[in-house]
Amino acid sequence: MSQWPTHGPFGQYRRVVGELSDPASIVVLSDGTIVVAERMAHTLRVIDLDGTTLREWGSLGSDPGQFLAPGSLAIDAQEHVYISDSGNHRIQVFDTKGQFVRAFSGHGMGPGQLIDPGGIWVHHDTVYVADTGNHRIQVFTTDGQFQFIIGKHGTGVGEFINPRGVVVNSQGEIFVADSFNHRIQKFDARGKFIMSWGEYVSFPGLFASPSGLTWHEDQLFVVDSGNHRVQVFDGEGEFLDAWGSHALWLRDGEGRYETPTSIAIDPEGRFAIVVETHEDRCQVIGRLGDERLEPPPPVRERSHFGKRLATGGDLLIIPEPDLNVVGLYSLFHPTPILIG
């Protein structure tokens, strides 16, 4: 587990929920059950915390209620389940029993059209979609009426490269995981740029391909996929906490991750769940200091950093094999110099 100063509520490993089929995303319902989008099985599956399947729906196809590599999930106040049906380039909506409600959008580059949609978030009567293949965010009403677009392809302010996550806080401010620009961007409720933070490195508060986002207790949770961890920020981008580290071999767990992709938090705040798509599983993370949780196993001191190359004065040089760079760290500067 991480050794960062802890300002957030989560971080204690609880258990693994495994034997999933390429899970892409999850949401936690009010009764504590979990909806999992399984890309390879082209289904949505409802499970409990022990991994027992309670029900499932969907199959491979393009008809209503069918999927092609379903991606991100969201729920609204009525617990309708929204799914980015990525391969079919549309959004589908179901009730919690799996009954089809509606679908909207379709393949294309025009307003209201999608290419490989990713993250999705519902705020009141508005749906926010990370239109990953079109490098933008699209905003709809919950009945599928197009509203407006945020951003375009690029590296500048308010521009994106393959955005994969989107979330909205209680004030209506919009946060986007600008994945291939390795940063988070923040906008007001109408899509006007406010600020951004992050760059490509493993230093605390920075990112390597951030993906899934969620918002809980006035904190932004970011799945920092390439750094194999979850980072926590306040709404102004101030770093608060991080947990997780890189799993060094297949099926390693116990709070160590292999390229996690998304996160969901129980509505009651009892636990968080982190999805590891490549490991076909999720890890359940409990609240720190919760005595009802099973005690975590001993942490083995291992790191995905390479061996120390050199030290001298206030400098430390460390290779980072996952990022294919060498980091030059100084005690007097918060951001390292990258070589490679």
Side-chain angles (χ1 to χ4, degrees):
M1 301 303 294
S2 71
Q3 302 300 316
W4 312 117
T6 299
H7 301 280
F10 301 101
Q12 181 157 322
Y13 167 77
R14 184 172 181 179
R15 64 167 64 96
V16 163
V17 178
E19 299 183 3
L20 303 173
S21 180
D22 200 31
S25 180
I26 49 173
V27 291
V28 184
L29 302 178
S30 60
D31 62 2
T33 58
I34 303 157
V35 184
V36 184
E38 296 183 291
R39 293 175 63 87
M40 292 296 291
H42 310 286
T43 61
L44 300 187
R45 180 155 42 131
V46 182
I47 61 176
D48 62 20
L49 273 178
D50 294 322
T52 301
T53 298
L54 305 176
R55 57 189 176 277
E56 62 183 60
W57 67 90
S59 60
L60 175 62
S62 58
D63 291 336
Q66 293 185 311
F67 306 109
L68 178 57
S72 294
L73 288 159
I75 53 174
D76 64 16
Q78 292 73 44
E79 288 207 314
H80 290 119
V81 177
Y82 292 70
I83 176 69
S84 292
D85 186 7
S86 300
N88 285 318
H89 312 286
R90 65 184 178 185
I91 305 301
Q92 295 200 68
V93 187
F94 302 85
D95 67 19
T96 57
K97 302 299 183 184
Q99 293 297 310
F100 175 80
V101 175
R102 71 179 70 91
F104 57 89
S105 192
H107 183 265
M109 301 174 65
Q113 295 179 314
L114 303 168
I115 295 179
D116 190 24
I120 185 170
W121 189 265
V122 182
H123 180 67
H124 299 316
D125 59 352
T126 305
V127 182
Y128 301 80
V129 180
D131 186 6
T132 304
N134 283 318
H135 311 285
R136 63 191 181 185
I137 303 299
Q138 294 212 60
V139 183
F140 301 85
T141 63
T142 49
D143 61 0
Q145 297 300 308
F146 168 76
Q147 298 295 291
F148 60 92
I149 289 171
I150 303 171
K152 62 180 181 179
H153 182 267
T155 60
V157 167
E159 297 177 338
F160 310 111
I161 300 180
N162 290 105
R164 291 180 177 171
V166 61
V167 75
V168 181
N169 67 13
S170 57
Q171 289 77 46
E173 296 169 325
I174 304 161
F175 298 83
V176 179
D178 186 8
S179 299
F180 283 18
N181 283 322
H182 312 288
R183 64 186 177 186
I184 302 297
Q185 296 202 60
K186 178 181 177 181
F187 302 83
D188 69 15
R190 293 301 303 171
K192 181 180 178 181
F193 175 82
I194 297 175
M195 65 177 293
S196 69
W197 71 93
E199 59 181 286
Y200 182 52
V201 76
S202 61
F203 206 68
L206 305 181
F207 307 105
S209 300
S211 55
L213 303 177
T214 197
W215 184 267
H216 180 74
E217 295 181 352
D218 294 324
Q219 295 179 345
L220 176 68
F221 292 74
V222 181
V223 177
D224 187 9
S225 294
N227 286 319
H228 316 282
R229 65 187 178 190
V230 175
Q231 297 201 69
V232 187
F233 301 86
D234 67 15
E236 302 304 315
E238 185 71 22
F239 173 78
L240 300 177
D241 190 20
W243 29 276
S245 60
H246 190 196
L248 292 187
W249 54 75
L250 185 67
R251 309 306 296 170
D252 199 5
E254 302 172 0
R256 290 175 288 275
Y257 307 122
E258 175 57 46
T259 320
T261 52
S262 66
I263 184 172
I265 295 177
D266 166 54
E268 300 298 321
R270 295 168 293 183
F271 56 86
I273 303 181
V274 178
V275 175
E276 295 176 276
T277 300
H278 299 315
E279 296 280 13
D280 293 324
R281 70 181 183 192
C282 305
Q283 293 196 47
V284 181
I285 307 299
R287 297 182 72 95
L288 293 169
D290 191 339
E291 296 179 354
R292 295 170 296 175
L293 300 180
E294 302 167 4
V299 174
R300 289 163 285 178
E301 294 298 331
R302 294 182 282 110
S303 171
H304 68 285
F305 294 115
K307 294 181 179 180
R308 183 182 69 189
L309 289 184
T311 59
D314 65 328
L315 298 179
L316 173 65
I317 302 174
I318 302 178
E320 301 191 50
D322 286 349
L323 303 181
N324 296 313
V325 299
V326 173
L328 177 62
Y329 294 83
S330 169
L331 296 177
F332 302 105
H333 297 283
T335 303
I337 298 171
L338 300 181
I339 304 169

